Amino acid sequence: AQKVTQAQTEISVVEKEDVTLDCVYETRDTTYYLFWYKQPPSGELVFLIRRNSFDEQNEISGRYSWNFQKSTSSFNFTITASQVVDSAVYFCALSEPNTGNQFYFGTGTSLTVIP
Amino acid sequence: NAGVMQNPRHLVRRRGQEARLRCSPMKGHSHVYWYRQLPEEGLKFMVYLQKENIIDESGMPKERFSAEFPKEGPSILRIQQVVRGDSAAYFCASSPRGGALDTQYFGPGTRLTVL
């Protein structure tokens, strides 16, 4: 079973639009961590954010914001006033410290921002 | 402060040859992880190593694949007798404390093409 689901395979928006990338996770652990990474066309993976399961406070960092909802097992990522440089594949990931060492990645959402 | 370094960035091998992928973790990090990304897919965990020890190899194929992280020098992912299905991007990540509690920082990846 897929532990992290990113249902949106591809999204296109026009520059300056807001866009939300969805992430739904599945875990039986009470302690877990959620992450978002950005993979621009150059291919590297850039760490964006980490949340632990005990902190449901939403976070804002510049144009980026994250909405963590334990009730729906979701950790969605919103980019406000999108820019062309935001074009990338975005991955959501889950780690479960009590059950292993690995990160579980979703299949990614490819975001294209059109100028 | 240099990030995670991987080389080569691109590697082409013919079927049956060996592939060696190298990863130097971030300064101060002694925990290394290898992931494989197949086309159009998310990253899949392969192995987690600490200096001179394999901690978790639950994602590693049983045959032809091996990994090491010697006391001195980079971590090496070795694929013997490569086949076309091994073509993928291989990412290395490092963390300071290890395990699923810690944020993993990724290198730029090595793109392996098997002809």
Side-chain angles (χ1 to χ4, degrees), chain B residues 14-55:
Chain B
R14 296 193 179 280
R15 278 179 299 171
Q17 291 184 321
E18 178 179 287
R20 279 183 175 243
L21 288 62
R22 287 177 289 280
C23 169
S24 296
M26 284 178 73
K27 189 176 180 181
H29 290 191
S30 58
H31 301 262
V32 164
Y33 313 78
W34 286 94
Y35 290 80
R36 176 163 63 177
Q37 183 182 28
L38 294 170
E40 310 298 324
E41 292 188 16
L43 281 73
K44 303 287 188 201
F45 170 78
M46 298 180 75
V47 62
Y48 162 38
L49 310 102
Q50 204 177 349
K51 282 285 187 181
E52 300 185 274
N53 290 306
I54 296 175
I55 309 299

Side-chain angles (χ1 to χ4, degrees), chain A residues 53-109:
Chain A
S53 52
F54 299 109
D55 183 3
E56 284 193 74
Q57 199 167 20
N58 292 329
E59 182 156 339
I60 298 174
S61 176
R63 295 185 298 106
Y64 294 172
S65 62
W66 290 269
N67 183 359
F68 179 25
Q69 299 269 353
K70 284 178 83 168
S71 59
T72 55
S73 297
S74 65
F75 185 44
N76 297 338
F77 172 30
T78 297
I79 302 174
T80 303
S82 59
Q83 300 176 1
V84 172
V85 293
D86 296 327
S87 296
V89 180
Y90 291 86
F91 290 97
C92 181
L94 164 75
S95 71
E96 300 169 314
N98 294 330
T99 54
N101 300 290
Q102 63 176 286
F103 281 18
Y104 298 93
F105 281 83
T107 49
T109 297

Side-chain angles (χ1 to χ4, degrees), chain A residues 2 33 35 37 39 42-45 47 50 91 95-97 100-103 105-107, chain B residues 9 33 35 37 42-43 45 48 56 58 91 99-108 111:
Chain A
Q2 188 75 9
Y33 292 83
F35 302 80
Y37 287 85
Q39 187 177 39
S42 50
E44 74 275 22
L45 274 160
F47 165 73
R50 158 186 147 137
F91 290 97
S95 71
E96 300 169 314
N101 300 290
Q102 63 176 286
F103 281 18
F105 281 83
T107 49
Chain B
R9 295 291 304 275
Y33 313 78
Y35 290 80
Q37 183 182 28
L43 281 73
F45 170 78
Y48 162 38
D56 181 352
S58 57
F91 286 90
L101 276 174
D102 219 1
T103 298
Q104 296 178 13
Y105 296 90
F106 284 79
R111 275 135 190 95

